[in-house]
Amino acid sequence: MESKDQQELAQAQGDAVAMPASPDGTPAGAPVVAGRPVVRLPGLDLRYGSNAVRLTLRQWIVVGLVVVLAMSLVPPLWERLEPLEDAPDYRVPFELSNDYWLYQRWCRRSAGRGDVLVLGDSVVWGLYVLREETLSHCLTAAAGGRRRFANLGVNGTYPAALDGLIDYYGGDIAGRDVVLHFNLLWLSSPQHDLQEERAGEFNHPALVPQFWPNIPAYDESLSRRVSHVLDRNVPFFAWANHMRTSRLGRGDLPTWSLEHPYDNPAQAVRLEAPAKADERHEPPVPWDHPSRRIGKQAPAWVPPAWVLLERSIQWRLFQSVVRTLRERGNRVVVVVGPFNEHLLEKNNLAVYRRLRDQAVAHLRGQGVACCVPPTLPSELYGDSNHPLAAGYARLAEWLVEQEEFATTVMGSR
Amino acid sequence: MLFHTWTFAVFFLIVYTGFRLLRGTRAEMPWLLGASYIFYGAWNPLYLVLLLYSTAVDYFAITRMARSSRRGLWLGLSIGNNLALLGFFKYRRFVAQNVNALLDWAGVRLAVPMVDDILPWLTADVNSLVAALGLHYTVPGLGTLPVGISFHTFQAISYAIDVYRGQTPRESSFIRYATFVSFFPQLVAGPIERSTNLLRQLGNTNPITRDDIADGLSLFLVGLFKKVALADYLGQYVDKVYAVPGDHHAPALVLATFAFAWQIYFDFSGYTDMARGLGRLMGFRLMLNFHNPYLADSLGDFWSRWHISLSTWFRDYVYIPLGGNRSGTWATYRNMVLTMVISGVWHGAEWGFVIWGLLHAAGRAATRELEQTPFYRERVPHLVKQALVFAFVTFTWIFFRAKTWGVASLVVERIFTSGWADPEFPMLAMAMILAVWAYQHAYESRSARGVLELAPVRVALAVAMAVYLVTFLAPGAAQAFIYFQF
């Protein structure tokens, strides 16, 4: 019996000769079809292909079901099998800042323990300090054992990204007590506020609104935007990103293999992620140290060009974060700053303080508890907004003394 | 719009839904034509005007041809117009560069102008209008090569010649003819379809069967895997080595060339598989374009397996009209060499492509007689023949990839003189290539093929490919297909 391929080939060649021809140019003795002479044409190869991966519709349904099943079962199964570090001051490793599946897992763990969750960007994460020197650690110490504070900071999560992070990956922290840091750095220029079109490097593109509201600084193809939407709504894709990020060094398997040409990829994709010791990401040196070149006299110094609240994209999305948390039943206290006011010129400082006070007034007007820490001593800042270790300690001591802070997060529930 | 992007997925979902709803109605062809024009216009809206122009000229010429006694004149208009477009957009810089070099060598103080950008004021005006409308889009200029121009011009030429020869009736519907020329699955990188196949099917309203859906999905999945998992992967190593061949030693250059041989195969055949898969989902059978070419046991066999739509095009519209093999040995070789050289030129406006074509012509000429001897046919082991053909073809790919004589000669020189250094070629890539090669051998083996065709094996392979694609490949920027540059 002829194979399907052979049947298709014969049919194609048969079809190819069945074309009626116009009267001229017909060779003598040509066969006749439907009263018109035909011309034998070059046979066209219309066979299926050159491989046997040819499934029936029923087999495709099986493939679809198997793939869907795998995609549904693998992430929760992997979560049960892969150990998650249980250190008291755990924070998502810096190089895994884009690993939202890990972040989601850490949210689930810390929320499950009843920790107070400290949310924010690298100020919360602790760019200049070790994990034992971060704000969450210092708050735990300052609270004298009454509450434990978990570091849920992620580097580079400006408010627009934090909104997406909490929305899509922070569902497990619902109903918990939250300390939410508001960093006014993100309103310090149109560029920081994402208002400049095609501004260049863009942190956490997968977290920001992909289609609406429009973010001028976010310039990405339609295809990537759709990809990001799928990533945040399909847990398997977040898990796959986790595997690539944690095992393959943020790349994918082909890129990893180019860097490790003779290594066995199966060994890279193992249950336990390679552990990396916690370390400071920046040297713990004050901002005005001569080696830092951040000071006002430095050639590269550009004074902030503060964006008004009513025009700020970041402020609008920060409010969305607050709204989401409150709708989910979280008790929220917002900590605004402390920005490094020592960096600012007199006029600039006045603008900054007005902006800060407006933000605080707006939040309090909505019934959100707010704390506005005093500016730390100059030598306790690493840059415009990151404290050093002693700065976090002082900040924590101040916060636990504040009534709004104590009322919101220090009391038991 | 690249097939392996979400943008295309959204586009195809909309187009396919409309197509299924309109199947068998008068709106079917306009819908398909509109979709094809949107697809092509997504690359550059200005080139859509070009496509419309060439389609209109061809349609007009062929209509006149059917009613005129001077049919050759109208055929000439159609072919001439297509070749003029192709020549101008694809070869103008190459011709100008080489003519100027010749003039310079001859001491003549003249220079052919290098037309880099075409009608820049038009592009600027269009972009101003786009910006005024508040759209965040920049229309590319007309200086770049229109995507797929080599394919749709050849497709149009084949139709014109077939009508002239009486091998196919003239299509009276402009919509259907325009759809044939611009059918989006095969518009930008083939297969170069014949009117006797695609145009005929466009006139059918046969229902789309379950087999069409199943085969379409199968073809698309395999093509997607070839392109994304294999071609783009190998391309990273090839690009790294060929970017600075002077920095690499013989093993890396050899392996990069070897990798390129597979990269271009996976890239091009993967695209074709996806194109055929998309066509099949809509009930259209596009022709087979690649048939395990690296299993060829002669150069003639290789060209019956590689880019079949192009090689048969050249056979039917260049080689046979030149006389084919009907006019004696000398004429046969002349026709063969000319056809191969033109084929090389078709691929691109660089000396590398010309040399590539010349090498294949020389190889074919040298081995044609040998391949017909009893010694070669019966005494040389099949694997040895395959290895020799593969080695020769891979060698010629050096010139194809390098594009210029300078880079190609540097690569060849360093392969023989630079000595040893660790090539750092990924074992994973080698394993994948060997696995594919073994699969192809098994497929063409009567005994092993039965195993490959077992349902559990087919399903397992499909699952493995799908899982690999979604798990281990980052959703990075999609790489364009190599053959888009033609």
Side-chain angles (χ1 to χ4, degrees):
Chain A
M1 188 171 164
E2 278 185 325
S3 71
K4 204 170 176 185
D5 273 356
Q6 288 169 321
Q7 291 170 3
E8 284 178 336
L9 187 58
Q11 181 192 7
Q13 290 173 336
D15 284 348
V17 302
M19 289 303 300
S22 53
D24 52 356
T26 310
V32 173
V33 171
R36 295 177 67 186
V38 302
V39 176
R40 185 166 289 275
L41 297 164
L44 295 176
D45 195 339
L46 297 178
R47 282 176 292 176
Y48 165 76
S50 51
N51 63 79
V53 183
R54 186 180 189 182
L55 277 58
T56 64
L57 202 57
R58 198 170 290 179
Q59 287 164 350
W60 263 111
I61 292 171
V62 171
V63 169
L65 286 173
V66 169
V67 171
V68 167
L69 202 64
M71 289 174 68
S72 305
L73 293 179
V74 165
L77 190 64
W78 193 268
E79 186 171 342
R80 285 173 181 262
L81 298 173
E82 180 187 275
L84 178 64
E85 191 181 341
D86 204 14
D89 296 301
Y90 177 79
R91 57 182 176 178
V92 172
F94 184 87
E95 58 275 6
L96 301 182
S97 297
N98 292 323
D99 187 347
Y100 309 126
W101 187 84
L102 177 64
Y103 182 80
Q104 187 175 33
R105 206 177 161 199
W106 173 227
C107 283
R108 200 154 30 239
R109 166 81 64 86
S110 49
R113 294 192 305 210
D115 294 350
V116 178
L117 311 169
V118 187
L119 306 179
D121 56 14
S122 53
V123 172
V124 170
W125 189 84
L127 207 58
Y128 288 81
V129 299
L130 296 172
R131 57 167 74 159
E132 303 84 30
E133 298 166 334
T134 58
L135 177 62
S136 55
H137 171 86
C138 295
L139 283 169
T140 303
R146 282 173 288 166
R147 296 297 301 272
R148 183 166 57 185
F149 291 77
N151 187 342
L152 263 63
V154 175
N155 285 290
T157 46
Y158 43 88
L162 187 64
D163 184 40
L165 185 67
I166 298 305
D167 210 1
Y168 296 105
Y169 301 102
D172 292 292
I173 66 174
R176 299 301 174 193
D177 296 335
V178 168
V179 176
L180 176 64
H181 181 249
F182 181 47
N183 189 350
L184 275 139
L185 171 78
W186 301 114
L187 276 73
S188 63
S189 71
Q191 185 180 1
H192 281 92
D193 199 55
L194 308 178
Q195 293 187 16
E196 283 190 358
E197 285 198 5
R198 301 179 183 182
E201 196 172 325
F202 196 90
N203 286 335
H204 299 287
L207 295 178
V208 299
Q210 298 299 313
F211 297 103
W212 184 261
N214 177 51
I215 295 180
Y218 182 48
D219 180 29
E220 190 54 270
S221 66
L222 174 62
S223 199
R224 290 301 305 274
R225 291 175 193 247
V226 172
S227 176
H228 291 320
V229 169
L230 285 169
D231 284 350
R232 57 171 70 153
N233 287 290
V234 180
F236 180 86
F237 291 136
W239 171 82
N241 178 57
H242 161 71
M243 294 302 292
R244 289 192 299 267
T245 306
S246 61
R247 271 43 172 207
L248 304 177
R250 301 187 63 182
D252 56 8
L253 189 55
T255 308
W256 177 88
S257 75
L258 284 164
E259 293 163 5
H260 305 85
Y262 305 123
D263 291 350
N264 184 352
Q267 289 181 345
V269 186
R270 55 182 183 273
L271 206 56
E272 201 160 324
K276 203 175 173 195
D278 182 61
E279 56 188 19
R280 295 184 186 88
H281 199 68
E282 295 287 344
V285 178
W287 67 280
D288 55 357
H289 190 272
S291 64
R292 296 300 308 282
R293 296 177 67 81
I294 294 178
K296 284 184 272 194
Q297 287 73 41
W301 168 252
V302 176
W306 302 100
V307 175
L308 299 176
L309 274 189
E310 53 270 25
R311 291 185 191 160
S312 167
I313 295 172
Q314 300 276 32
W315 169 243
R316 189 164 17 115
L317 289 167
F318 180 80
Q319 291 180 82
S320 175
V321 175
V322 174
R323 197 163 45 243
T324 301
L325 289 169
R326 297 181 83 195
E327 283 171 359
R328 286 179 180 171
N330 293 104
R331 286 200 309 187
V332 181
V333 57
V334 176
V335 176
V336 182
F339 198 83
N340 182 356
E341 296 183 10
H342 306 285
L343 262 172
L344 304 177
E345 302 289 345
K346 188 177 166 189
N347 291 335
N348 214 292
L349 182 60
V351 175
Y352 158 73
R353 284 179 175 166
R354 194 162 54 244
L355 201 63
R356 180 198 63 192
D357 295 342
Q358 280 175 350
V360 170
H362 186 91
L363 288 168
R364 284 181 173 150
Q366 292 182 328
V368 179
C370 259
C371 293
V372 187
T375 304
L376 298 168
S378 176
E379 66 275 13
L380 296 188
Y381 282 102
D383 55 31
S384 63
N385 56 112
H386 294 90
L388 299 175
Y392 282 119
R394 188 175 292 204
L395 177 58
E397 283 162 12
W398 182 89
L399 279 172
V400 298
E401 295 299 323
Q402 305 310 303
E403 186 185 342
E404 285 182 282
F405 192 89
T407 306
T408 308
V409 302
M410 294 299 291
S412 58
R413 295 199 74 182
Chain B
M1 252 186 278
L2 298 172
F3 289 163
H4 52 296
T5 61
W6 288 114
T7 310
F8 180 79
V10 171
F11 165 80
F12 186 72
L13 203 63
I14 297 169
V15 169
Y16 191 66
T17 305
F19 177 75
R20 291 298 300 263
L21 291 171
L22 298 171
R23 181 81 165 148
T25 70
R26 295 181 71 171
E28 178 188 342
M29 278 304 113
W31 176 262
L32 213 51
L33 179 63
S36 298
Y37 280 172
I38 289 172
F39 177 82
Y40 194 67
W43 299 98
N44 184 341
L46 295 177
Y47 284 140
L48 193 54
V49 178
L50 206 66
L51 180 64
L52 267 165
Y53 158 75
S54 73
T55 304
V57 168
D58 289 331
Y59 180 80
F60 170 76
I62 293 164
T63 303
R64 297 296 297 177
M65 180 164 53
R67 300 170 190 166
S68 168
S69 57
R70 302 178 71 183
R71 302 171 73 242
L73 188 69
W74 295 109
L75 176 68
L77 172 65
S78 173
I79 294 176
N81 184 58
N82 279 301
L83 291 180
L85 283 173
L86 190 60
F88 179 76
F89 282 96
K90 192 166 178 176
Y91 299 106
R92 67 180 187 282
R93 285 197 197 98
F94 180 68
V95 169
Q97 279 167 358
N98 287 281
V99 167
N100 287 340
L102 204 61
L103 291 172
D104 189 50
W105 171 80
V108 176
R109 285 190 182 184
L110 274 175
V112 174
M114 296 275 282
V115 183
D116 281 322
D117 204 357
I118 302 159
L119 303 179
W121 56 266
L122 177 62
T123 308
D125 284 352
V126 170
N127 280 322
S128 296
L129 180 62
V130 168
L133 293 171
L135 299 170
H136 292 281
Y137 178 74
T138 304
V139 174
L142 286 167
T144 53
L145 181 68
V147 174
I149 190 171
S150 305
F151 293 89
H152 68 74
T153 51
F154 268 40
Q155 190 154 307
I157 290 173
S158 80
Y159 169 69
I161 295 174
D162 285 349
V163 171
Y164 177 80
R165 287 174 177 172
Q167 289 173 334
T168 191
R170 180 184 73 85
E171 174 55 60
S172 57
S173 161
F174 176 79
I175 299 281
R176 190 171 296 122
Y177 170 70
T179 307
F180 161 69
V181 173
S182 64
F183 187 51
F184 72 88
Q186 47 91 231
L187 171 61
V188 293
I192 303 172
E193 277 293 337
R194 304 296 181 91
S195 57
T196 52
N197 183 41
L198 179 58
L199 189 54
R200 178 174 59 89
Q201 291 183 70
L202 288 174
N204 288 338
T205 53
N206 296 336
I208 297 169
T209 65
R210 286 183 186 181
D211 280 353
D212 288 331
I213 306 290
D215 283 353
L217 289 173
S218 302
L219 284 165
F220 193 86
L221 173 65
V222 171
L224 185 65
F225 187 82
K226 279 184 188 175
K227 166 59 180 169
V228 177
L230 298 173
D232 289 353
Y233 177 20
L234 295 173
Q236 293 185 46
Y237 184 83
V238 173
D239 289 348
K240 185 179 84 166
V241 173
Y242 268 79
V244 274
D247 288 359
H248 296 278
H249 290 75
L253 291 165
V254 168
L255 285 168
T257 306
F258 167 79
F260 179 71
W262 285 98
Q263 178 200 353
I264 192 168
Y265 164 66
F266 290 135
D267 194 281
F268 199 5
S269 68
Y271 170 84
T272 304
D273 285 343
M274 283 195 263
R276 297 180 75 226
L278 294 170
R280 193 65 191 271
L281 284 170
M282 292 188 278
F284 302 116
R285 291 181 181 231
L286 303 181
M287 62 186 294
L288 186 65
N289 213 13
F290 290 86
H291 188 56
N292 298 330
Y294 292 145
L295 299 185
D297 58 10
S298 68
L299 280 179
D301 188 26
F302 175 79
W303 281 105
S304 72
R305 293 167 175 262
W306 178 275
H307 203 176
I308 299 168
S309 65
L310 180 70
S311 57
T312 53
W313 194 100
F314 275 111
R315 178 197 66 195
D316 296 337
Y317 303 109
V318 177
Y319 180 69
I320 290 176
L322 282 175
N325 59 0
R326 299 193 303 268
S327 310
T329 306
W330 159 246
T332 299
Y333 281 105
R334 178 203 66 200
N335 298 337
M336 194 166 57
V337 167
L338 269 175
T339 304
M340 288 306 315
V341 169
I342 296 171
S343 172
V345 171
W346 176 90
H347 281 83
E350 296 281 359
W351 282 111
F353 298 118
V354 178
I355 295 167
W356 173 80
L358 271 168
L359 282 171
H360 270 276
R364 188 77 184 97
T367 59
R368 187 169 179 270
E369 298 298 327
L370 170 68
E371 287 167 3
Q372 291 171 17
T373 62
F375 171 77
Y376 189 84
R377 287 214 309 264
E378 293 158 21
R379 301 288 292 274
V380 177
H382 188 63
L383 268 177
V384 171
K385 290 182 206 171
Q386 289 178 326
L388 289 171
V389 172
F390 180 75
F392 176 80
V393 168
T394 302
F395 175 76
T396 66
W397 284 132
I398 293 175
F399 299 87
F400 196 96
R401 177 58 178 81
K403 294 195 178 72
T404 66
W405 168 253
V407 175
S409 59
L410 177 63
V411 170
V412 173
E413 182 209 326
R414 286 191 66 77
I415 283 176
F416 291 104
T417 62
S418 61
W420 170 267
D422 186 354
E424 297 184 344
F425 187 78
M427 290 295 99
L428 176 64
M430 184 61 76
M432 287 173 130
I433 291 170
L434 292 177
V436 169
W437 181 80
Y439 180 93
Q440 291 181 346
H441 269 280
Y443 181 76
E444 296 210 350
S445 147
R446 279 186 193 171
S447 51
R449 184 163 167 173
V451 174
L452 297 182
E453 288 179 341
L454 292 173
V457 174
R458 286 184 278 143
V459 169
L461 274 173
V463 169
M465 282 192 279
V467 169
Y468 182 86
L469 283 169
V470 298
T471 306
F472 293 108
L473 298 179
Q479 300 294 320
F481 295 93
I482 294 175
Y483 263 72
F484 276 13
Q485 62 185 297
F486 309 135

